[in-house]
Amino acid sequence: MKTKNKSILLYALIIAMGGLLMGFDASVISGVVKFIEPEFNLSKIELGWAVASLSLTATIAMMFAGPISDKLGRNAVLKYSALLYFFSAILSAVAPSFLILVIARLIAGIGVGLSLILAPMYIAEISPSEKRGKMVSFNQLNIVIGISVAFFTNYLIVHLASSNTEWVQLLKIKEYNWRWMLGIEAFPALLYYIFLFFVPQSPRWLLMKGRYDEALIIMKKLGDDETAEKMIAEFKESILLDAKPKEKSSIKDLFLPSMKLVLSIGIVIAVLQQITGINSVFFYAPMIFEQSGIGTDAAFIQAILVGLINVVFTIVAMALIDKLGRKPLLAIGVTGVALSMFLLSYSFNAATYTLTNDSISKLPKEINVEQISVLQDKTFQSDTEFKQAITEVIGVAAQKKYESELISASITMNAMLILFGILGFVASFAISLGPVMWVLFSELFPNKIRGIAISFVGFINSAVSFVVQLVFPWELEKFGSTLTFLLYGIFALIGLVFIMKLLPETKGKSLEELESILVK
């Protein structure tokens, strides 16, 4: 089939900016949590809400994105998502209270849910079949690029805050650091909105609406005249077939005895992808690195490495998934996830915390030295004990504000092991659970109920993601880093056993073959 690849590529890249904004919006909060916790005097659960609120509305928006776009058009709804990104960025930047900040994040979540569903849908609808997989993958690649950009801009703002240059002082980047982190997204969101006016409406959506002449014009721009007319004829034929009475599927069909195995696999993979802690790492990366005592600047730099590793290994996964297969990638990746989490748990367990006279003298002058000196030369074996002792002598507000400086001054541990553990975890996830889950979902379920089944397990995946993000700060406070990462490793180990025993290899098998194997 002849296609005008440059036009299709350009439109795909523009639409995929929705993925970049989604990745940015989801991860930019990682640099914000350190500053909003003391400013708004948040509890750990409230801090979790600041992060997880986006996932809550994104989950809801995903359920309605398809039907709304069927009525209004893919382009129109994507424009609304761009405006939601823009408005939420501005509102986040000027938020006078924690409640307004959460409302802004909830608004952003709607934009995330819409673009996450509709960007790949539009790209699939304009792409030729032989290039569809590669074209749609632009959106996933843009998501991980957006995550990396968020980590980089967060670091840049923290770094600029220490500068005395006139323009930095004029923009008050130091005073409004977290507000700049959130507000900067308004610029690419506005560009996305403008660029969408140069992208044509989905020709398949136009065909659905009976606007055949408009669809034909766009199809001819994307390919040759003969192919365009043939596709319209095929579409009209499919409309006639769809008009015939068919047996409708429902959510009840998922729970038939014959679906027990395939539904169990879908639910376990959906839960496993999130319960091993990926969004704890992406959305709290600087906080985790600060627990190793490397300081704020270094923590933000290492977060950039997390984003880069994620991009590189996502590309690796895209190259290997049709060569090695789904099960080998999952087995390798989940093994790496478990080992990385056990390494993190071991490293934090080996850490000790001691404030010496020399380290106390180097603390910020705002910390009351007389109060803190009562802890001098006392050694604590866990981060929870140390933080509790600090809170008792200087109070909750001061402990939250200067936690990073106090840990850096007292901790003795191998910080490189923490870096290796986090990077190993992200690399392992990016070649396995990240991309493979959605491929499996598209292959495992029978044709008749595939749409309902993917929505069901996708909802479970999003719900678990929300809970993991919400409770992570509370887990660190109550359980400590050692037990938190140990739990993630145990979950990964259980998931690995399930994968090795029950997951079939789906590579190279038709959907009909898989249905005969899995649906008994």
Side-chain angles (χ1 to χ4, degrees):
M1 173 176 143
K2 296 179 181 179
T3 59
K4 297 176 182 177
N5 292 320
K6 289 184 179 179
S7 296
I8 296 175
L9 179 61
L10 176 61
Y11 297 147
L13 289 174
I14 290 174
I15 293 294
M17 280 185 67
L20 188 144
L21 288 169
M22 180 265 169
F24 184 96
D25 213 331
S27 295
V28 70
I29 197 71
S30 66
V32 172
V33 292
K34 171 184 172 62
F35 303 107
I36 62 172
E37 184 180 10
E39 180 164 335
F40 294 128
N41 193 25
L42 304 179
S43 68
K44 294 300 181 182
I45 288 295
E46 286 175 326
L47 187 64
W49 259 106
V51 174
S53 53
L54 180 141
S55 294
L56 182 63
T57 46
T59 302
I60 297 170
M62 287 168 63
M63 297 169 62
F64 298 101
I68 293 173
S69 73
D70 285 344
K71 183 176 182 179
L72 301 179
R74 319 307 188 215
N75 276 29
V77 181
L78 282 172
K79 287 173 185 174
Y80 287 128
S81 76
L83 290 176
L84 288 169
Y85 281 124
F86 176 80
F87 181 69
S88 68
I90 299 297
L91 187 60
S92 298
V94 301
S97 66
F98 173 65
L99 177 61
I100 299 300
L101 178 61
V102 170
I103 291 173
R105 297 292 292 167
L106 290 170
I107 293 170
I110 299 173
V112 166
L114 295 177
S115 60
L116 188 61
I117 296 296
L118 298 183
M121 182 186 294
Y122 178 95
I123 295 171
E125 289 180 345
I126 67 167
S127 300
S129 58
E130 69 272 13
K131 296 182 180 294
R132 187 176 299 130
K134 186 180 292 185
M135 290 293 184
V136 173
S137 68
F138 282 140
N139 194 63
Q140 177 63 27
L141 185 59
N142 266 17
I143 290 174
V144 296
I145 290 174
I147 293 171
S148 297
V149 171
F151 288 146
F152 176 75
T153 56
N154 283 350
Y155 164 72
L156 188 62
I157 289 169
V158 168
H159 182 70
L160 285 173
S162 60
S163 171
N164 292 320
T165 56
E166 185 177 345
W167 69 272
V168 170
Q169 300 297 320
L170 181 65
L171 295 175
K172 296 186 177 182
I173 290 178
K174 183 176 183 180
E175 293 90 337
Y176 301 138
N177 45 22
W178 67 266
R179 296 180 184 276
W180 275 106
M181 290 177 186
L182 294 171
I184 200 171
E185 186 189 6
F187 297 106
L190 185 59
L191 282 177
Y192 186 43
Y193 178 72
I194 294 170
F195 287 163
L196 284 171
F197 283 93
F198 297 94
V199 174
Q201 185 54 267
S202 164
R204 283 178 171 80
W205 179 81
L206 291 171
L207 290 173
M208 286 170 53
K209 296 299 179 181
R211 293 157 62 177
Y212 299 114
D213 292 340
E214 294 174 63
L216 181 61
I217 292 171
I218 294 173
M219 285 181 170
K220 287 181 177 180
K221 288 181 179 178
L222 300 176
D224 61 278
D225 294 359
E226 182 182 348
T227 301
E229 291 172 358
K230 181 181 177 183
M231 287 178 67
I232 287 183
E234 290 175 349
F235 184 87
K236 287 180 178 179
E237 184 178 347
S238 70
I239 290 293
L240 292 174
L241 290 174
D242 287 341
K244 295 179 180 179
K246 291 183 180 180
E247 183 184 353
K248 292 186 177 180
S249 58
S250 70
I251 192 73
K252 293 180 182 178
D253 294 331
L254 283 175
F255 301 99
L256 293 172
S258 61
M259 289 293 297
K260 184 178 180 180
L261 174 61
V262 68
L263 184 61
S264 297
I265 293 173
I267 291 174
V268 169
I269 297 298
V271 172
L272 183 65
Q273 195 210 42
Q274 292 299 328
I275 207 168
T276 48
I278 186 60
N279 283 338
S280 296
V281 172
F282 281 157
F283 301 163
Y284 295 98
M287 176 190 287
I288 295 171
F289 286 127
E290 283 188 352
Q291 300 301 306
S292 66
I294 62 175
T296 299
D297 279 0
F300 277 82
I301 291 174
Q302 291 189 356
I304 295 175
L305 290 177
V306 168
L308 292 176
I309 289 293
N310 189 28
V311 172
V312 170
F313 281 87
T314 296
I315 295 172
V316 171
M318 289 164 60
L320 293 179
I321 192 167
D322 287 322
K323 295 179 179 178
L324 287 184
R326 288 56 158 152
K327 187 169 183 175
L329 277 183
L330 279 178
I332 294 168
V334 176
T335 299
V337 166
L339 292 176
S340 298
M341 286 303 177
F342 291 146
L343 176 61
L344 289 171
S345 180
Y346 165 80
S347 302
F348 279 112
N349 187 56
T352 59
Y353 303 81
T354 307
L355 285 168
T356 64
N357 182 59
D358 182 56
S359 62
I360 290 175
S361 66
K362 296 177 182 177
L363 289 171
K365 60 183 180 180
E366 292 84 1
I367 298 178
N368 191 315
V369 176
E370 291 184 6
Q371 288 180 321
I372 209 78
S373 62
V374 300
L375 299 178
Q376 183 176 320
D377 297 325
K378 290 185 179 181
T379 299
F380 298 88
Q381 300 299 321
S382 74
D383 53 345
T384 52
E385 291 178 3
F386 176 70
K387 292 174 188 177
Q388 184 177 352
I390 290 292
T391 302
E392 289 174 357
V393 297
I394 66 174
V396 175
Q399 187 272 330
K400 288 179 179 178
K401 188 171 183 179
Y402 299 108
E403 180 178 299
S404 176
E405 291 82 357
L406 289 164
I407 290 177
S408 296
S410 62
I411 196 169
T412 300
M413 76 175 307
N414 188 340
M416 288 303 295
L417 286 180
I418 302 299
L419 178 60
F420 290 149
I422 293 293
L423 295 183
F425 168 72
V426 172
S428 300
F429 179 89
I431 65 167
S432 58
L433 287 168
V436 173
M437 183 188 78
W438 292 106
V439 174
L440 278 177
F441 285 175
S442 68
E443 297 173 330
L444 287 173
F445 299 106
N447 294 323
K448 176 185 171 185
I449 60 168
R450 183 171 295 118
I452 293 174
I454 291 176
S455 295
F456 179 74
V457 292
F459 176 81
I460 291 174
N461 177 263
S462 296
V464 175
S465 172
F466 169 76
V467 174
V468 169
Q469 295 169 50
L470 178 66
V471 303
F472 182 71
W474 177 84
E475 282 182 295
L476 286 184
E477 180 185 45
K478 300 298 181 183
F479 302 154
S481 302
T482 299
L483 183 54
T484 296
F485 292 118
L486 178 62
L487 287 172
Y488 288 155
I490 291 172
F491 288 137
L493 201 58
I494 294 170
L496 179 62
V497 172
F498 180 92
I499 289 167
M500 298 308 296
K501 287 193 171 185
L502 293 177
L503 182 70
E505 177 54 65
T506 60
K507 183 191 76 167
K509 294 183 176 71
S510 71
L511 298 179
E512 290 70 28
E513 284 180 290
L514 290 171
E515 184 171 341
S516 66
I517 294 170
L518 292 168
V519 181
K520 304 297 182 182

